[in-house]
């Protein structure tokens, strides 16, 4: 009789499978940051030129250094260099905004943008960029010349709206990609058979038992792949040279003398005081009187303008001739007594500007500004395209400082916004430095941007709220 049974024998790898290893080295959160003192503006973006004044791992790109110098750095004239990696989420579209005061440049996986020149805390757009999800290299430079400071980075993923990039996205090293191969476990089914043989004789009975033979197959040991981490070298940043803005030369016409000294008087008669005796007079030869000849080439005196005041010497004579005599007189009186022109006088003289050459228009605007210009007159000058096309930066500053923005209604703000938006770049920059554009000019688009002030103010408010409420974030770490 044969008896058969089945045994399940587990290979040792079955136990090992419960403890499969996983290689996943955690990267360090934050960005490696070095601070330098600088002695030129804009500075060279280099780690080998300037004196290092501090370094640490910063937890985000959302900070300000206003009045709080870092370690041994100064309040102004310093440069910041941040390097590391940013974790890009899975996305269909992505774009970034970088805000800096003063200059700021950033490079994310070869996509570089920014402005390496003095500016206010403006947002600079990257536009939609083509970048893969995952840990990507980041290189950022920022410098502070003077005044306020800021450095912030925001992203817009799949058009969900711009938000400040969270702390969790930044690491000093690239996040490793881990591949784990699960071990293979083989369960071998073994069949054991017992065979019993019985022999019988008259006198003896013997029983022979054959022990079962068990064969355990050899199972291959599990294999675990260890992840390989490859560091991508940072690209060496290059510094673009900012374009130089050269103001147009100002031409001053030479002063023409307004009066000529009269020619010397010529005596036409011999003196009558010669009382000589008759005997001497009779012997004298006849008196011959010779008169000097006036040369034909003697220049004639210039024509004078009897109706125009002679003291308006800042204006070319041609402009004075175009002005009504009473208006020229009013310009003189207003400049001497610091009184404003009447509304009619002001309109008349401003209407003259469109027919003048640029240097003549500048001279006439100078004469207007010598009077006591009212806020309404300043607003009229600031919305006049003929005036904005020729004024100097000094004249623009004086005009904008005279405007009382708090007294402007929505219509006037809209007119002023439209006029400045079409003005030369130098006038726009003076406007932004003189007028608080965040005080109601929501439709104005600052220089170097294509986003109106209203949208910028909203984003900055969101960024400020995020900074105050985010756990572990900070404005500046000491």
């Amino acid at each position: 009789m044969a008896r058969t049974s089945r045994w399940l024998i587990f290979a040792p790898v079955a136990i090992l499978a419960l403890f499969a290893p996983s290689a996943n080295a955690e990267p360090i959160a934050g960005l490696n940051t070095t601070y330098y003192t600088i002695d030129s503006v804009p500075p060279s973006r280099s780690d080998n030129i300037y004196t290092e004044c501090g370094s640490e791992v910063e937890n985000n790109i959302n900070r300000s250094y206003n009045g709080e110098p870092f370690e041994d750095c100064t309040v102004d004239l310093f440069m910041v260099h941040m390097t590391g990696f940013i974790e890009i989420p899975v996305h269909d579209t992505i774009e970034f905004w970088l805000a800096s005061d003063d200059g700021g440049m950033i490079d994310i996986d070869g996509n570089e943008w920014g402005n390496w020149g003095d500016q206010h805390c403006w947002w600079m757009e990257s536009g939609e960029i083509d970048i893969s999800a995952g840990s990507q290299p980041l290189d950022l430079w920022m410098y502070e010349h003077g005044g306020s400071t800021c450095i912030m980075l925001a992203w817009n993923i799949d058009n969900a709206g711009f938000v400040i990039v969270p702390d969790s996205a930044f690491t000093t090293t690239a996040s490793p990609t881990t591949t784990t191969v699960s071990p293979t476990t083989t369960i071998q089914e073994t069949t054991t058979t017992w065979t019993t043989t019985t022999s019988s004789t008259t006198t003896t009975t013997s029983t022979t038992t054959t022990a079962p033979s068990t064969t355990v197959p050899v199972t291959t040991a599990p294999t675990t792949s260890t992840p390989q981490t490859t560091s991508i070298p940072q690209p060496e940043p290059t510094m673009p040279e900012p374009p130089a803005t050269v103001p147009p030369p100002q031409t001053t016409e030479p002063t023409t003398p307004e009066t000529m000294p009269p020619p010397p008087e010529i005596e036409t008669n011999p003196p009558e005081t010669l009382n000589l005796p008759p005997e001497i007079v009779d012997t004298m030869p006849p008196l011959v009187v010779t008169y000097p000849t006036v040369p034909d080439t003697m220049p004639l005196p210039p024509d004078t303008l009897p109706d125009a005041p002679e003291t308006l010497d800042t204006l070319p004579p041609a402009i004075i001739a175009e002005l009504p005599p009473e208006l020229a007189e009013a310009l003189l009186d207003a400049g001497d007594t610091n009184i404003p022109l009447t509304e009619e006088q002001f309109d008349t003289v401003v209407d003259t500007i469109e027919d003048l050459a640029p240097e003549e228009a500048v001279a006439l605007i100078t004469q207007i500004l010598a009077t006591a210009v009212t806020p309404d007159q300043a607003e009229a000058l600031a919305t006049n395209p003929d005036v904005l096309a020729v004024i100097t930066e000094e004249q623009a500053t004086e005009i904008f400082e005279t405007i009382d923005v708090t007294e402007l209604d929505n219509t006037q703000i809209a007119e002023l916004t439209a006029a400045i938006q079409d003005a030369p770049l130098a006038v726009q920059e003076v406007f932004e430095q003189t007028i608080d554009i965040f005080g109601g000019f929501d439709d104005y688009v600052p220089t170097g941007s294509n986003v109106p002030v209203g949208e910028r103010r909203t984003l900055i408010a969101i960024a400020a709220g995020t900074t105050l409420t985010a756990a572990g974030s900070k404005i500046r770490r000491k």
Side-chain angles (χ1 to χ4, degrees), residues 85-172:
F85 292 81
I86 180 172
E87 187 71 22
I88 304 296
V90 176
H91 61 275
D92 292 327
T93 62
I94 188 170
E95 54 183 327
F96 291 87
W97 272 3
L98 174 69
S100 69
D101 182 359
D102 288 286
M105 294 292 296
I106 190 170
D107 186 306
I108 299 178
D109 192 31
N111 299 280
E112 184 180 50
W113 78 96
N115 174 38
W116 199 241
D118 286 9
Q119 64 179 14
H120 298 296
C121 190
W122 301 136
W123 289 101
M124 298 169 286
E125 300 87 351
S126 69
E128 185 176 321
I129 62 175
D130 183 10
I131 188 170
S132 300
S135 186
Q136 303 297 348
L138 180 148
D139 189 271
L140 180 142
W141 295 85
M142 171 262 181
Y143 78 85
E144 163 62 5
H145 185 183
S148 300
T149 69
C150 83
I151 184 71
M152 293 185 288
L153 182 66
W155 61 18
N156 179 10
I157 301 173
D158 295 335
N159 294 318
F162 279 96
V163 294
I164 295 297
V165 178
D167 298 7
S168 59
F170 302 109
T171 56
T172 59

Side-chain angles (χ1 to χ4, degrees), residues 246-266:
V246 181
Q250 302 299 321
T251 305
T252 304
E253 291 207 5
T255 303
T256 303
E258 299 179 355
T259 58
M260 287 286 294
E265 293 185 0
I266 300 174

Side-chain angles (χ1 to χ4, degrees), residues 346 373-382 402-404 407-408 412:
F346 178 81
V373 176
T374 67
D376 288 342
Q377 291 175 347
E379 192 265 339
L381 291 173
T402 306
I403 296 175
D404 187 355
E407 295 296 325
L408 300 180
Q412 291 173 311

Side-chain angles (χ1 to χ4, degrees), residues 153-234:
L153 182 66
W155 61 18
N156 179 10
I157 301 173
D158 295 335
N159 294 318
F162 279 96
V163 294
I164 295 297
V165 178
D167 298 7
S168 59
F170 302 109
T171 56
T172 59
T173 57
S175 299
T177 301
T178 303
T179 302
T180 302
V181 178
S182 301
T184 302
T185 302
T186 303
I187 301 176
Q188 178 67 43
E189 183 180 282
T190 304
T191 303
T192 304
T193 304
W194 284 268
T195 304
T196 303
T197 305
T198 304
S199 299
S200 178
T201 64
T202 306
T203 58
T204 55
T205 301
S206 62
T207 302
T208 301
T209 302
T210 302
S213 176
T214 302
T215 302
V216 179
V218 178
T219 305
T220 304
T223 302
T224 302
S225 298
T226 302
Q228 300 296 322
T229 302
T230 303
S231 298
I232 303 175
Q234 302 266 348

